Amino acid sequence: MEPVKTSSSLERESNPLTIKETKRKRPLLTDGVKAILCLLPSIILIAIFVYGFIGWTGYVSLSNWNSLVPDFSFAGLKNYAYLFNDFRFQADLRNTLFFTLFFIIAVLTSGLVLAILLDQKIRAESLFRNIFFFPMALSFVVTGVVWQWLLNPSTGVNLFLKKLGMAPKWYTSVTIIPGIEWGKIEFGVPVAIIAVVIAAMWQMTGFSVAMYLAGLRGIPDELREAARIDGASEFQIFMKIIFPLLMPITVSVIIIMAHISLKIFDLIYAMTGPGANFVTDVPGVYMFETTFRGNYYANGAAITIIMLLSVAIFIVPYLISSRKGGA
């Protein structure tokens, strides 16, 4: 005989909400577990090929592996001490300092000026935008080769400058201004690094233009009109309203350009190389030649770790402040 169904059991079977609750009681995987499973391959790959290799590089930098034969015996900070007493590495630090400083200032200034001009709703705006953004589509190697020819003392722009009585040496100059003795090097601005800054600025200004133009287009016109009604001049509007609102974009551009300049390699290598008396040398080029040509693997790893720390000085505080701001 079939069991007699009571009225309460019939109501539970016929109630759709009860049926849905029964189905949801035992999900196979929670959303958190699904998310972890989806991210797990990426987490494993990043842990191995990013942080694992960083750890390995740090380990090698503390070893005596400075020949073709691996030697992982502990050397302490000997490789770092050697670098900071090395003439070439001191020159690299000087060059990187001034290259980063001039490069950031040039990209910020040119990008802001061009973005303000484009924001005036000029004719053929799309054409000018494409012209400014086009260099970003090129690699630094191509940029280096092109500007090496343009700034060659015997060809390029010097063919026109010689008619005006000028003949700059550009990236072949060994002049240091003011050339103050500091350690084993002359501390000052290497004239040759200016040529590299020009090439790097030409390629990366488009990024700054895009960032600033987006920021300018995001500022409501009502703010400017209200300031004009209150009697503010255009210069006052820019300094008191527009520029403060663009400050987050300025910080972002500074961080990104600093990251690029501190680890620059391909532009320098293609355009000038280390240069005479290492006036255009940078840690990236020194690391490449030390590791893959000189077979000084521990010294090359130490240069890499120093480059990593220099980039972290800019990136980590920015990430921390961004995290606090978004919290």
Side-chain angles (χ1 to χ4, degrees):
M1 294 178 62
E2 295 182 358
V4 179
K5 296 183 178 180
T6 63
S7 59
S8 60
S9 62
L10 291 173
E11 289 178 359
R12 286 195 301 269
E13 292 178 1
S14 61
N15 190 349
L17 295 177
T18 305
I19 296 173
K20 290 181 179 179
E21 290 176 358
T22 304
K23 292 181 178 179
R24 293 177 180 174
K25 280 183 179 179
R26 295 180 178 178
L28 295 177
L29 294 173
T30 63
D31 292 340
V33 174
K34 291 179 182 178
I36 292 175
L37 290 177
C38 290
L39 294 174
L40 190 59
S42 298
I43 294 174
I44 294 174
L45 292 175
I46 291 174
I48 295 174
F49 293 103
V50 177
Y51 297 104
F53 284 177
I54 290 175
W56 173 253
T57 302
Y59 174 72
V60 172
S61 70
L62 300 174
S63 70
N64 287 304
W65 188 9
N66 282 317
S67 64
L68 288 174
V69 180
D71 181 2
F72 297 110
S73 59
F74 184 70
L77 299 177
K78 182 182 71 174
N79 297 310
Y80 294 93
Y82 167 78
L83 287 175
F84 284 105
N85 287 319
D86 181 38
F87 169 81
R88 180 173 181 178
F89 192 71
Q90 289 182 9
D92 290 354
L93 295 178
R94 175 200 62 198
N95 300 339
T96 302
L97 172 64
F98 288 108
F99 174 78
T100 300
L101 180 64
F102 293 153
F103 174 60
I104 292 176
I105 293 175
V107 169
L108 287 176
T109 304
S110 58
L112 181 58
V113 171
L114 293 175
I116 292 174
L117 293 177
L118 288 176
D119 192 46
Q120 306 306 311
K121 298 181 176 61
I122 61 176
R123 292 183 179 181
E125 177 187 331
S126 60
L127 174 62
F128 286 107
R129 282 206 310 265
N130 292 332
I131 292 174
F132 297 149
F133 299 162
F134 170 73
M136 293 183 60
L138 304 176
S139 69
F140 270 129
V141 174
V142 175
T143 300
V145 172
V146 171
W147 281 92
Q148 182 191 45
W149 179 83
L150 287 174
L151 300 181
N152 189 297
S154 302
T155 58
V157 297
N158 271 20
L159 294 178
F160 301 98
L161 294 177
K162 285 179 180 178
K163 296 180 180 180
L164 301 176
M166 297 183 293
K169 294 182 179 180
W170 298 109
Y171 55 82
T172 62
S173 175
V174 294
T175 304
I176 308 293
I177 301 175
I180 303 172
E181 291 294 331
W182 179 67
K184 295 182 178 181
I185 63 170
E186 291 183 79
F187 185 78
V189 180
V191 175
I193 209 69
I194 302 299
V196 184
V197 171
I198 293 173
M201 179 196 69
W202 176 80
Q203 176 156 353
M204 297 308 302
T205 293
F207 176 82
S208 179
V209 172
M211 295 285 286
Y212 277 124
L213 187 59
L216 290 170
R217 295 286 166 85
I219 298 176
D221 292 333
E222 290 79 5
L223 291 177
R224 308 183 192 189
E225 293 299 329
R228 292 189 183 99
I229 293 174
D230 290 338
S233 64
E234 293 298 324
F235 180 76
Q236 291 174 327
I237 292 174
F238 177 80
M239 295 302 297
K240 300 293 184 180
I241 298 177
I242 297 177
F243 189 73
L245 292 175
L246 294 177
M247 188 56 64
I249 293 177
T250 301
V251 174
S252 298
V253 174
I254 290 175
I255 294 299
I256 295 172
M257 294 302 112
H259 171 261
I260 292 174
S261 63
L262 290 172
K263 65 182 186 64
I264 193 73
F265 165 76
D266 38 7
L267 176 65
I268 302 288
Y269 194 78
M271 183 175 177
T272 65
N277 209 24
F278 304 116
V279 289
T280 57
D281 196 37
V282 290
V285 175
Y286 190 17
M287 182 273 296
F288 173 79
E289 294 185 350
T290 298
T291 305
F292 301 106
R293 290 187 177 178
N295 299 319
Y296 296 101
Y297 296 99
N299 287 344
I303 298 173
T304 305
I305 295 298
I306 293 173
M307 292 173 62
L308 175 65
L309 294 177
S310 65
V311 172
I313 291 173
F314 284 88
I315 301 298
V316 173
Y318 173 72
L319 294 178
I320 294 175
S321 62
S322 299
R323 186 179 181 85
K324 290 181 178 178

